[in-house]
Structures are given as C-alpha cells and as structure tokens.
Amino acid sequence: MKRRIASWENGHSAPDDFYGPLLCTALGLSAAELGLNHLTDHDVPLLDATYPASPDAAIATVDRLWRADLNGYEPLIKAEPSQPAWNEASLRWLVAPEASFPARSGEREPKVGLADVAVIRTTSDMFAGLDDQFGGDHARQSVIQYLSRDVAPLLKGRYTEAVGRALFSTVAEATLLAGWMSYDAGHHGLAQRYFLQALRLAQDGNDRRLAGSILSAMSHQATFLGQYTHAATLARAALMGISGVATPTLRAQFHAMEARALARTGDRRATETALSEAARALDASNTTDEPEWITYFDAAELAAETAHCFRDVRRARQAVEHAENAMSGSHVRSDFFATMVLADAHLHAGDAEEACRVVLDALDLGEQLKSARCVAYLAEFRRHTDALGPSTAQRELAEQAADNRLWLASETRV
C-alpha cells in the first residue's frame, strides 16, 4: 500500500476506480476536487445500506462491494446493519414494477451466454457445500474473490435480455450466499448489504421466488440481532410478495421465519399459529415443483425451527421433542444448531446434566465449523448455566471442553 501511495504522490499513476473513491470518502472531497477526472462522484463506494435504482446501478454497487470486501476495507467489514434499510428494501421490492432490462452491447465487453450462467451456478453450489460443512468463515473470501474477479466482468458483458435475466438471477443467488456466509462469520453490516444487492439482482432477474427467499434470509438475520419486529415484517413481506408464485415449501419456510421472530417476543399464540401454517404448507409440498435451492427445507429443518420457537416461548418439553427430530445427518451446521437448542431445552426443563452432555455432542459435531453464530449459541448456553449457579455437570463440561476451539472462542462472549 505504501508503494501505491508513493506512486500516486510522484505522479507515476493515479488511484484506480477502487482506491480513488476510497480517497474521496476518507478526505471528504469530490473526485473533481482531487483531480481524479476518470471518476465521477457516483463512483464513491456506497457503504450505506442502499437499494439500487436500476440494473446498471446494481452492477456498479455490488461490484464495488465485492472489491472493497476483497481488499479488506475495514469500514465496510465492521459496518453495522441499518434498521431503516430492512423496511425500505422490502417496500421498494414489493411495489416495484418489473424492471426494464435492455440488451447490453459493446465491442470490447465479453459476450455472455447461458453456458457462462451455468458455470456460475455450479461454482456457487460448490461454495455452498463448503459453507454448509465448514461454516461461513471457511471459504468466504474465496467466494468474494470469485465474484469480484470472474463474475463482475460478465455482469458488464454483452448479453440478450433472456440471458441477462438468467445471469442476474444466478448472481443474486451467489450474492445471497455471500450474505449468508458474511452473516455466519459475524460481519452483520456487510451481510445486510449483500442481501440488499441480492434482492435487487433478483428483481432484475425477474425471480420473485428467490427475492422472497432473500427477504427470509434478512428476517433470519434480524431475529439473530434482536430486531424481532423487523424480522416478522420481512417474513410477512416475503409471503406477500410471492403470493402468486409461491410454492408450499417456500411458504413453509417463510412462516417458520415469522414464527422464529414472534417466539423471541414471547407471543406464544402467534408463534403457534405461524408454526401451524408452516407445517400445513410443508405437508402439501412436492419437490418436483420447488426451486432446487429450497429443497433443503424438509421435515428435519422445520423440526429445528419449531424447536427454536418452543425453546424461546419456554415450552421446554416440546422443544426437546422437536429438537430430537431435527438431526438431518447431512447438514453439519444445522445439526450443530439443533443440538444446541436441544441442550438449551434440557436446561430449561431442569435437566442440567443431560444438557451438558448434549453440548459435548454439539462440540464434537461442530469441531470443523468456522462460524460466529455457532460461537454465539455456545455463549448463550453458558450464560444460561452461569445464571443457575455452579454445578458438578457444569464443571465437568468445562473440563472436557477446555481445549475445544469453539468453546474457547465462546469465553469472550459470555
């Protein structure tokens, strides 16, 4: 970096379209005032949580986000989520007309076809598998590098409207993955910004089902961050926004997200109503009609969501019952969360010894996970046990878990 600054000072080069906008932001000056005539004021990184106004704005914004993330731009990595952005994004998407999407042309840009779209989808699926098995902080930077260096040029390429719609939808799904991974890694402001850009890309791809799923992801994050009213609103917006094209599994997942938010508020009746709607919808599902990316949401996933809800409304025995049915055996991180909910449920039911034994199972299961969310689940359990006072079970758990990476990480969160 020092060499780069020296080169700018000596006039041998000018800040490029990544570093130039950062200088504008840092110095509080416009591109023109700094003599960066190759830039415009619109090139300043949009670190605020904003919803782009057009397909071209979406391309520019998500490209700048990827590059800033890849370059470790600290104000972005440490950014806080914006509460108004949740409401603005859902409203903007709900009322937006179908985006105009003219064909893009240009002699120097690469020509993009459906084969390129298929490559992005396959690569994203590979990264999604790594995220599921090893946690969001394992390959997150690799995903961002791929999006920034391989996918961004395709968004700026030449393609027909049909290819462009497919491209935007696929990139929206990949950006959603980047958001999930950033959320799992504890970069909540960054994750929210990726979710917002994914939502806009899904709108431009005319993929309302995916857009609804993105709102559902935003609801999940809002619940985790304690923004329960926003979370319930986002889940309801997802249900409303795709009502004409919703599948049973999507409806089930959105109702489950609403239930998760409501349970945290302590509203038992509303929670049970939302869970009943989720179960009814899932019973009607037919996997042949579902988008591939939602087929993970099955009976085990719904059992896990239900266990979370019953734990939060202090119905411990029912939480235990559902958590025991939530182990998929194929989704490592989800099984870790379900196991931790089972431990919490046993603790709330008055069985601290069994709760501590189950936590050891969770630690064995999650040994390979690099996930801030997993650490947060452990820290929450430890706070609950600390509130009960010292016990033999608690002491034995601490002794057996002393060298576990996740357990050690949770110490600073208790």
Side-chain angles (χ1 to χ4, degrees):
M1 186 62 192
K2 290 181 179 179
R3 289 183 186 176
R4 196 185 300 270
I5 294 173
S7 178
W8 299 338
E9 290 176 338
N10 295 330
H12 297 309
S13 66
D16 61 18
D17 59 355
F18 173 72
Y19 286 103
L22 297 188
L23 281 178
C24 294
T25 300
L27 299 177
L29 298 172
S30 69
E33 288 171 323
L34 287 175
L36 305 178
N37 297 322
H38 61 294
L39 301 176
T40 71
D41 290 337
H42 294 295
D43 290 315
V44 176
L46 300 178
L47 298 184
D48 291 337
T50 57
Y51 192 73
S54 69
D56 285 336
I59 292 171
T61 301
V62 78
D63 181 29
R64 287 198 292 274
L65 281 174
W66 289 334
R67 284 186 292 161
D69 189 358
L70 192 60
N71 282 274
Y73 184 48
E74 191 168 316
L76 174 65
I77 305 299
K78 294 186 175 180
E80 294 295 326
S82 163
Q83 292 187 35
W86 282 316
N87 287 335
E88 179 193 5
S90 58
L91 181 60
R92 292 272 303 270
W93 174 71
L94 281 170
V95 302
E98 183 175 332
S100 59
F101 201 97
R104 295 175 60 88
S105 60
E107 293 281 334
R108 298 180 180 178
E109 284 73 27
K111 184 176 180 180
V112 182
L114 292 178
D116 299 296
V117 176
V119 170
I120 298 172
R121 186 177 302 280
T122 300
T123 305
S124 296
D125 288 345
M126 178 197 70
F127 282 125
L130 293 174
D131 170 52
D132 183 50
Q133 187 172 0
F134 300 113
D137 215 12
H138 170 69
R140 199 189 76 81
Q141 279 291 300
S142 298
V143 171
I144 303 305
Q145 182 175 29
Y146 172 68
L147 291 171
S148 181
R149 298 185 178 176
D150 292 78
V151 174
L154 299 180
L155 286 173
K156 300 172 186 176
R158 292 180 290 134
Y159 38 79
T160 64
E161 178 176 345
V163 170
R165 297 280 191 190
L167 175 65
F168 269 59
S169 175
T170 302
V171 177
E173 190 176 344
T175 305
L176 171 61
L177 174 62
W180 273 114
M181 295 175 84
S182 299
Y183 164 24
D184 196 51
H187 305 305
H188 291 294
L190 176 59
Q192 185 193 48
R193 285 152 178 78
Y194 281 139
F195 289 149
L196 290 170
Q197 303 314 313
L199 185 63
R200 176 69 220 206
L201 292 168
Q203 177 187 331
D204 294 325
N206 199 27
D207 194 338
R208 294 197 71 79
R209 290 175 174 176
L210 179 59
S213 188
I214 294 165
L215 286 179
S216 179
M218 294 167 72
S219 172
H220 195 292
Q221 184 193 29
T223 295
F224 184 83
L225 294 174
Q227 301 296 324
Y228 309 130
T229 300
H230 287 302
T233 299
L234 286 162
R236 290 164 185 156
L239 282 163
M240 180 185 300
I242 71 163
S243 59
V245 294
T247 65
T249 304
L250 283 170
R251 286 198 301 273
Q253 205 267 345
F254 299 167
H255 280 300
M257 288 303 99
E258 181 185 13
R260 283 280 293 270
L262 293 170
R264 282 292 194 175
T265 70
D267 190 337
R268 181 179 295 182
R269 178 174 296 182
T271 299
E272 290 179 346
T273 298
L275 287 174
S276 295
E277 291 293 336
R280 186 177 300 112
L282 194 64
D283 285 343
S285 65
N286 182 344
T287 55
T288 60
D289 297 328
E290 304 285 349
E292 185 178 349
W293 41 261
I294 196 60
T295 54
Y296 79 93
F297 195 84
D298 54 14
E301 283 289 326
L302 181 56
E305 300 297 347
T306 304
H308 275 86
C309 293
F310 282 135
R311 177 201 63 178
D312 293 338
V313 297
R314 294 298 188 264
R315 296 182 63 173
R317 295 300 178 191
Q318 287 174 286
V320 168
E321 177 185 346
H322 287 281
E324 288 175 340
N325 293 325
M327 309 303 168
S328 68
S330 57
H331 300 292
V332 177
R333 185 175 49 207
S334 294
D335 286 351
F336 175 90
F337 292 145
T339 306
M340 286 304 305
V341 171
L342 178 60
D344 265 334
H346 280 302
L347 194 65
H348 294 327
D351 192 348
E353 185 174 343
E354 180 64 10
C356 291
R357 186 197 65 76
V358 171
V359 168
L360 289 173
D361 291 341
L363 291 174
D364 287 341
L365 184 66
E367 189 174 6
Q368 63 195 7
L369 292 169
K370 296 179 69 176
S371 164
R373 281 196 294 154
C374 291
V375 173
Y377 272 62
L378 277 168
E380 183 177 30
F381 177 85
R382 295 180 69 170
R383 287 193 295 271
H384 292 163
T385 57
D386 286 348
L388 295 175
S391 67
T392 301
Q394 182 185 20
R395 185 174 60 255
E396 291 177 350
L397 170 61
E399 290 172 356
Q400 294 181 64
D403 295 330
N404 182 276
R405 179 177 52 82
L406 289 175
W407 183 263
L408 290 171
S410 71
E411 288 181 352
T412 61
R413 304 281 295 273
V414 178

